[in-house]
Amino acid sequence: MSQANVPSSSSLPAGMQLRLAAVRALCFDLDGTLLDTIPDLAAAANGMLVDLGLAPRPVDEVGTYGKGADRLILRMLEAAGQPTEEGSDAFAQARKRFHAHYRHCNGKEARLYPGVASGLKRMADIGLPMACVTNK
């Protein structure tokens, strides 16, 4: 896409229009990029811990355990004093409980980060194709 093909838009500053001239499409991650999903993940992970007879962890702590559900499960178990390894029976049981809770709470507390809706609208207004890439 050449600079001449980028539709002008009063919703974008001229400098940003120039920087976007070479962009043909945008892909965004969902969790932690467009949406704050930590409250939902924390609810599911803490529900898992309680099901396993372990104490729940603070939400702000859960937010530091990124890199996918399996890593979150491992880190939560470790923090609760029950370290395990991926592939073990204990991990499989914990994973089953986490996903049971996550099916129930996914999307209940998740919120767009400030500015996301207006930013996406601006990109749509200039005709940029967009996609959301997620492991959900």
Side-chain angles (χ1 to χ4, degrees):
M1 179 183 288
S2 72
Q3 179 178 336
N5 292 336
V6 174
S8 94
S9 170
S10 61
S11 68
L12 288 177
M16 183 176 281
Q17 287 182 33
L18 288 175
R19 286 191 300 271
L20 289 173
V23 176
R24 296 189 333 218
L26 296 171
C27 295
F28 301 97
D29 181 42
L30 184 65
D31 297 307
T33 302
L34 300 177
L35 289 178
D36 177 3
T37 56
I38 295 300
D40 294 342
L41 291 166
N46 279 323
M48 169 198 76
L49 290 178
V50 169
D51 286 356
L52 298 172
L54 302 169
R57 308 300 301 170
V59 173
D60 60 335
E61 179 182 305
V62 178
T64 67
Y65 296 162
K67 307 294 185 216
D70 287 351
R71 177 128 172 99
L72 171 62
I73 293 164
L74 289 169
R75 296 280 309 271
M76 291 291 286
L77 291 170
E78 182 180 325
Q82 296 292 320
T84 190
E85 293 184 15
E86 198 169 342
S88 69
D89 288 342
F91 176 79
Q93 182 61 26
R95 191 172 195 267
K96 180 178 177 182
R97 299 308 317 140
F98 172 82
H99 285 292
H101 283 282
Y102 198 57
R103 279 190 295 279
H104 175 73
C105 66
N106 184 19
K108 288 189 176 179
E109 299 295 326
R111 299 291 180 263
L112 284 174
Y113 283 113
V116 167
S118 61
L120 292 174
K121 182 177 181 335
R122 286 178 168 183
M123 299 303 110
D125 286 349
I126 65 168
L128 279 172
M130 293 179 280
C132 182
V133 180
T134 184
N135 62 3
K136 289 193 180 289

